[in-house]
Amino acid sequence: MSHLVFLTASELAKAIRDRTVSSVEVLDPHLEHIALHNSQLNAIITLDVENAYQRAKKADEALGRGEIWGRLHGVPITIKDSLETKGLRTTSSYEPLANYVPTQDATVVARLRAAGAILLGKTNTPKLTADFQTNSPLFGRTNNPWNLDYTSGGSTGGGAAAVAAGLSPLELGSDLGGSIRVPGHFCGVFGLKPTEHRVSTFGHIPELPGKPKTIRHLQTIGPLARSVEDLRLCLSLIQGLDPQQNWLLPIPTEQFKLENLRAYRYAWTTGFGDIPASTETKRCLEKLALSLENLGCCIEEHNPPNLDVTVARETYSEILKFEFGLSEINQQQYEHALHKRDRIITDLEGFLSDWDVWLCPVVPIAAFTHRPSGEPIEIDGKQFPYLKAIGAYTTLFNLGGNPVIVLPLSQSQKGLPIGVQVVGRRGSDMRLIAIAETLTQITGGFQPPPGYYSATLRVRSQKSEVRSQKLEVRSQKSEVRS
């Protein structure tokens, strides 16, 4: 059963529905795998073992009666600790919330539970999700499963590490400036930032519980997984209108059919703005572009002609600071920032109207070693400001509200994952997912970090050997008694 911890959520759901395995038989190896690896990763910071077992047993009983709760019936998942979970501690790594136990689920959590998912536990995040590394003042640091000396990214760093290492098949995270995409890139997993206002953010911290709702832009909630198919499945379950947030948009009817790679038009870039991508990151993008070109695809190197990255960065910062109450920006300045944002959205949408997707770097470099937040980032021997460098290619799409998928693409010379952003027009999420899934014919599927799969096999083999020895001893005792 050890192979189960590296199956996708979709594969596990099908196996449970087909009764190839039970929900309890899926839960057991996941908990064993967590016991084996989580102490060094510190990815999951709150486990809910007792309730998970109760829910798994009920899932198996329901299936025995012919009842299927939903498309994730009996599948274990994890949730970022910034999303409220009824009856289970939710802290967002904020000291005043160290013992906070919500009385209701975040909307997206409730929807996944309604689809039959079993909540394994909560994953680590930096304080109030406000960093590109995951170093919690409450729970400590999350390490990258590819190399424990390196960061897993932030702010969904615990979730990305858990999915990569086989502790969880599916994570629900959030993304304000790259918080799904940066950890996905650093840990080598798939991630989706949906179109802004497609998915409810009700029950996400920040905002703090009981406080007025002021965050209307930039923030999104989406999945991290080991396949594009799982991104599609999760989005289909969590998207849609929510009475708690009247600004959400109806889900558009997307007319498209699955095509081959040559049916799409691709723009690509090795970067934009004043932060350069590393040489090895550029080479990965160039190799991908060449592969598509060799297949006869229409692919050209372009950036939006009217894109002023400096203005975009300033506009993003102004909206962020006003909605999060971080500065003295007044209402008039805020409204002016929203008007600038509208112009940037128009420019981005105009550019993307000529292309099916835009292929971009995620971060200029692969994962970096753990360091104090704010310490400069080195790119090809030169130092760049921390936040500006890490978010150089991600924050633009929070500002524009575009759907973006991160695909694992390659590895650095140090053996660390490198991903690619696949960007689409606003509202084109399902079409984008279809194109991204087709692109995996070139980029490839999920690759587990070294040691995690074999370690699980070894431990379970040792346990089987012990059980066999016990059976042999019992058999010998029976023979003696006979």
Side-chain angles (χ1 to χ4, degrees):
M1 294 293 182
S2 59
H3 68 286
L4 291 175
V5 299
F6 280 109
L7 293 184
T8 66
S10 299
E11 290 168 338
L12 289 172
K14 184 178 186 301
I16 291 169
R17 288 195 303 270
D18 293 346
R19 302 193 187 186
T20 304
V21 293
S22 70
S23 180
V24 170
E25 288 172 334
V26 169
L27 181 60
D28 277 332
H30 278 89
L31 290 173
E32 288 181 16
H33 203 62
I34 290 167
L36 183 63
H37 295 295
N38 192 56
S39 60
Q40 64 178 0
L41 292 174
N42 195 32
I44 299 175
I45 46 87
T46 301
L47 266 177
D48 197 17
V49 176
E50 183 178 346
N51 286 325
Y53 266 120
Q54 290 179 2
R55 178 83 165 162
K57 290 174 183 176
K58 289 180 180 178
D60 291 335
E61 291 167 359
L63 199 59
R65 298 190 299 269
E67 300 174 10
I68 297 179
W69 293 338
R71 295 172 66 191
L72 287 174
H73 184 106
V75 176
I77 65 168
T78 48
I79 303 290
K80 185 177 182 179
D81 197 39
S82 58
L83 287 161
E84 291 188 311
T85 45
K86 182 179 180 180
L88 185 63
R89 182 180 62 173
T90 301
T91 72
S92 200
S93 286
Y94 183 50
E95 296 92 326
L97 297 178
N99 299 306
Y100 173 58
V101 178
T103 57
Q104 64 178 336
D105 283 328
T107 297
V108 288
V109 174
R111 288 175 178 174
L112 291 183
R113 289 199 208 251
I118 295 173
L119 179 53
L120 264 177
K122 308 297 289 293
T123 56
N124 204 10
T125 182
K127 183 176 180 177
L128 292 174
T129 73
D131 200 351
F132 283 127
Q133 297 179 81
T134 295
N135 193 359
S136 166
L138 295 178
F139 307 110
R141 186 179 77 192
T142 295
N143 299 317
N144 192 315
W146 289 85
N147 187 324
L148 301 180
D149 293 330
Y150 285 72
T151 181
S152 62
S155 59
T156 318
V163 171
L167 312 189
S168 169
L170 182 67
E171 163 79 5
L172 196 57
S174 60
D175 192 309
L176 178 65
S179 290
I180 288 171
R181 291 162 288 155
V182 171
H185 163 75
F186 284 173
C187 293
V189 298
F190 297 82
L192 166 65
K193 183 196 87 66
T195 295
E196 182 185 72
H197 297 155
R198 186 175 183 125
V199 176
S200 172
T201 59
F202 180 78
H204 184 268
I205 304 170
E207 296 138 322
L208 295 178
K211 298 293 183 180
K213 303 301 178 186
T214 59
I215 302 171
R216 296 290 184 94
H217 303 93
L218 313 178
Q219 182 79 269
T220 56
I221 290 173
L224 294 102
R226 293 194 288 267
S227 72
V228 176
E229 181 183 12
D230 281 1
L231 301 182
R232 178 190 292 110
L233 171 60
C234 187
L235 179 62
S236 70
L237 296 172
I238 63 174
Q239 67 183 357
L241 300 177
D242 179 3
Q244 302 285 354
Q245 294 186 332
N246 58 14
W247 58 85
L248 295 183
L249 301 174
I251 304 302
T253 302
E254 299 176 45
Q255 300 294 334
F256 69 93
K257 61 179 180 178
L258 290 174
E259 304 276 5
N260 61 39
L261 286 167
R262 289 188 298 275
Y264 302 116
R265 292 172 53 83
Y266 307 87
W268 73 284
T269 183
T270 57
F272 44 82
D274 53 354
I275 303 291
S278 67
T279 299
E280 63 182 357
T281 299
K282 290 178 182 177
R283 285 174 180 164
C284 290
L285 269 294
E286 289 164 356
K287 184 178 178 181
L288 174 59
L290 182 61
S291 297
L292 288 166
E293 183 180 325
N294 289 340
L295 286 172
C297 299
C298 175
I299 179 163
E300 296 179 13
E301 187 174 4
H302 286 292
N303 285 331
N306 299 320
L307 176 62
D308 187 326
V309 173
T310 301
V311 172
R313 189 183 295 123
E314 291 172 352
T315 304
Y316 170 87
S317 179
E318 288 164 355
I319 295 170
L320 176 70
K321 288 178 179 178
F322 182 86
E323 295 192 355
F324 281 72
L326 301 176
S327 75
E328 299 300 322
I329 293 175
N330 60 39
Q331 183 71 30
Q332 185 176 1
Q333 291 170 313
Y334 171 63
E335 290 176 0
H336 179 61
L338 291 179
H339 286 306
K340 288 193 294 181
R341 175 183 187 262
D342 288 340
R343 290 195 296 271
I344 292 167
I345 289 173
T346 299
D347 290 341
L348 279 174
E349 291 295 286
F351 169 70
L352 287 165
S353 66
D354 292 330
W355 307 98
D356 291 293
V357 292
W358 186 24
L359 306 174
C360 311
V362 187
V363 182
I365 56 174
F368 51 87
T369 53
H370 299 290
R371 65 195 60 198
S373 180
E375 186 175 285
I377 298 297
E378 183 177 303
I379 304 172
D380 288 349
K382 296 182 179 180
Q383 302 289 318
F384 294 88
Y386 178 86
L387 291 175
K388 189 177 178 182
I390 304 171
Y393 309 136
T394 54
T395 55
L396 174 65
F397 304 120
N398 294 87
L399 181 66
N402 302 79
V404 186
I405 290 173
V406 166
L407 301 178
L409 178 60
S410 186
Q411 290 183 10
S412 71
Q413 292 179 346
K414 294 181 179 179
L416 296 163
I418 293 175
V420 58
Q421 288 191 100
V422 186
V423 183
R425 297 187 70 185
R426 289 169 59 100
S428 69
D429 301 54
M430 288 301 177
R431 188 170 190 271
L432 177 67
I433 288 171
I435 297 172
E437 192 164 36
T438 307
L439 277 169
T440 60
Q441 296 171 22
I442 295 177
T443 59
F446 167 77
Q447 297 294 322
Y452 288 86
Y453 189 75
S454 58
T456 303
L457 284 174
R458 185 169 60 252
V459 168
R460 294 190 70 87
S461 175
Q462 290 169 350
K463 289 185 176 181
S464 286
E465 189 176 331
V466 169
R467 284 194 294 266
S468 297
Q469 290 172 351
K470 287 181 178 179
L471 287 172
E472 186 177 343
V473 169
R474 289 174 187 166
S475 176
Q476 289 171 351
K477 287 181 177 178
S478 293
E479 289 178 8
V480 170
R481 284 196 296 270
S482 299

